[in-house]
Amino acid sequence: MSGTAVASRPIENSQAKTSYKILFIIGLCHLLNDSIQAIIPAMFPILEKSMGLTFTQLGIIGFSLNIVSSVMQPVIGMATDKRPMPFALPLALTFTFFGIIGLSLAPSFELIVLSVLLIGLGSSIFHPEGSRVVYMAAGARRGLAQSIYQVGGNSGQALAPLITALILVPLGQIGAAWFTIVAAIAIGLLIYIANWYSNKLRIETISKGKKSSPTSHQKALSKQIGFYLFIILFLIFARSWYISGITNFYTFYAIDKYSFTITQAQIYLFAFLVAGAFGTFFGGPLADRFGKKNIIFLSMISTAPLSILIPFVPSSLALILLTISGFILMSSFSVTVVYAQELVPGKIGTMAGLTVGLAFGMGALGSIVLGYLIDLIGLSTTIILTGFLPLLGLLTLSLPSDKKIAELYSQE
């Protein structure tokens, strides 16, 4: 495939030694980055009360956070496939640092949106380059490496309900200022990563070969691969909209249906997200054994009956179903990224930007559309309708198996 040798050679060298130290550090940075992002939807009940925001305005805040990532991540990924940028990583968390300061002090809806845009910009820079670090450090353990990285991010998201209950509920909006410490720690760790990254690039540059040009077979595959990639992105749409409905608005549903306090409702969200983090970690090894396509299909279809039932069951059973559905649904998260990268070899940053970035972008669009639907048709009806989204996982049946993907490129 086309692309620079610097960008692609670390992936091609499957015999390279796995650098677990780097993987765990970048995974920790992913946790810190995503924990900061996750406090924004977790703050929705607080902002709704303190500033009198509508659900549509809350949706706009969620949209502002994520749309920057969805637009910028693929762009940055394409740019860094050609020219990797190690020190963009600490720069990314510097944007986030200032965004958090603004979020904690913003007196108006408009300034909250501006602060959230800075946090989204930081995330859009972090994720593609973070994915490249993962591949450079992975060696022969690509699936495991991606799981370590992604579980860091999902664990960070899972911390948001606890953070809300322990910090934001008692302190209010100003409590977000505590996360400047989190951002500062991440900046320090990413400076270390950037130095390792730069040294790794120098080593790769010494032994790099000439760029390869697309073969006629690769050109013939382009439309077919494009169709498969479209299906993957559509599956991400379905998964992301459902997750957006749960993370942004299920707390309101639990407060209304079960007469919960904000803290009690956050426990349910915490269970969903923690289970999702575990699912993300186990999804990679399961896909290595049973196939990536199979895990993507099973994660969506097995979630569907649970997600459909959740709005109708008592609170105790809802907690159980949310936990199980979070684990099952998110087991395909890291698998989807690796599947897309194998569909288009050598474009690690671009595919990471599309899959992870699109997940944010679809969540962004979902947050604003679902917020509007709640204002239009009611909270309960909207939550019920989102439960049917995982049924779109049936589209996975049109994707090629792992073996078929290998056969497509074996002819090159």
Side-chain angles (χ1 to χ4, degrees):
M1 301 294 288
S2 61
T4 65
V6 171
S8 61
R9 190 174 292 273
I11 293 88
E12 294 166 356
N13 186 7
S14 62
Q15 300 305 314
K17 183 179 179 181
T18 303
S19 179
Y20 289 101
K21 179 180 179 181
I22 295 299
L23 288 175
F24 284 120
I25 292 175
I26 195 67
L28 175 59
C29 290
H30 199 186
L31 183 154
L32 297 175
N33 178 82
D34 284 23
S35 68
I36 293 173
Q37 280 187 266
I39 68 167
I40 295 170
M43 286 179 68
F44 280 3
I46 294 168
L47 294 174
E48 187 263 344
K49 284 189 174 182
S50 65
M51 303 185 71
L53 302 182
T54 66
F55 282 107
T56 300
Q57 286 176 311
L58 295 175
I60 290 171
I61 293 172
F63 178 83
S64 300
L65 171 67
N66 294 320
I67 194 62
V68 175
S69 292
S70 72
V71 171
M72 293 297 294
Q73 279 198 47
V75 173
I76 292 172
M78 286 187 286
T80 56
D81 277 334
K82 296 179 179 179
R83 185 182 295 276
M85 300 181 289
F87 285 92
L89 287 166
L91 177 64
L93 268 293
T94 302
F95 283 117
T96 300
F97 179 89
F98 288 108
I100 283 293
I101 292 176
L103 180 64
S104 65
L105 300 176
S108 66
F109 168 71
E110 291 78 13
L111 288 177
I112 286 176
V113 171
L114 179 60
S115 300
V116 162
L117 286 173
L118 280 175
I119 296 171
L121 177 60
S123 181
S124 72
I125 298 171
F126 170 81
H127 282 97
E129 283 296 82
S131 290
R132 190 176 310 282
V133 168
V134 170
Y135 269 83
M136 295 178 79
R141 309 297 299 275
R142 293 175 58 182
L144 176 62
Q146 190 65 224
S147 288
I148 292 172
Y149 177 63
Q150 297 297 347
V151 80
N154 289 338
S155 297
Q157 295 170 24
L159 290 174
L162 282 184
I163 292 164
T164 301
L166 298 177
I167 298 176
L168 299 178
V169 169
L171 297 180
Q173 182 180 346
I174 192 65
W178 282 98
F179 284 86
T180 57
I181 299 173
V182 174
I185 293 171
I187 290 169
L189 291 173
L190 288 171
I191 289 173
Y192 175 83
I193 289 287
N195 283 312
W196 176 88
Y197 184 175
S198 296
N199 184 59
K200 191 77 170 176
L201 285 178
R202 282 193 294 270
I203 295 171
E204 295 296 335
T205 301
I206 293 172
S207 58
K208 72 179 180 179
K210 295 182 180 180
K211 295 182 181 180
S212 61
S213 58
T215 66
S216 59
H217 177 62
Q218 290 167 344
K219 292 178 181 177
L221 284 175
S222 60
K223 289 185 179 180
Q224 187 178 18
I225 296 301
F227 170 75
Y228 295 149
L229 187 59
F230 174 79
I231 295 298
I232 282 290
L233 298 182
F234 194 80
L235 292 172
I236 292 172
F237 151 80
R239 185 181 64 203
S240 298
W241 272 43
Y242 179 71
I243 293 171
S244 178
I246 295 296
T247 56
N248 289 339
F249 301 114
Y250 186 79
T251 52
F252 294 102
Y253 181 81
I255 290 168
D256 180 65
K257 181 177 177 64
Y258 305 122
S259 300
F260 282 172
T261 63
I262 293 177
T263 300
Q264 288 174 318
Q266 293 293 330
I267 292 173
Y268 279 58
L269 182 56
F270 176 72
F272 177 80
L273 294 173
V274 167
F278 279 101
T280 298
F281 181 77
F282 285 104
L286 288 172
D288 288 338
R289 181 169 182 178
F290 299 107
K292 298 175 187 67
K293 174 186 174 179
N294 293 335
I295 294 301
I296 294 170
F297 174 75
L298 290 173
S299 75
M300 298 283 286
I301 294 304
S302 299
T303 298
L306 305 179
S307 62
I308 292 170
L309 282 175
I310 284 170
F312 303 102
V313 298
S315 60
S316 57
L317 185 55
L319 179 61
I320 296 172
L321 294 183
L322 276 169
T323 303
I324 297 173
S325 64
F327 180 91
I328 296 174
L329 185 62
M330 292 304 294
S331 65
S332 64
F333 189 87
S334 62
V335 178
T336 306
V337 178
V338 176
Y339 187 90
Q341 290 170 335
E342 291 185 355
L343 273 176
V344 190
K347 298 293 184 181
I348 301 308
T350 304
M351 290 301 103
L354 278 175
T355 53
V356 180
L358 189 73
F360 284 118
M362 289 298 97
L365 184 59
S367 68
I368 196 167
V369 172
L370 294 176
Y372 176 77
L373 283 177
I374 290 170
D375 287 332
L376 185 67
I377 64 176
L379 177 62
S380 180
T381 303
T382 303
I383 293 295
I384 290 170
L385 289 176
T386 59
F388 288 88
L389 286 170
L391 285 174
L392 293 173
L394 288 168
L395 292 172
T396 310
L397 295 174
S398 64
L399 293 173
S401 65
D402 299 35
K403 181 179 179 180
K404 178 64 175 178
I405 293 174
E407 291 173 352
L408 287 174
Y409 291 105
S410 66
Q411 301 173 46
E412 299 174 13

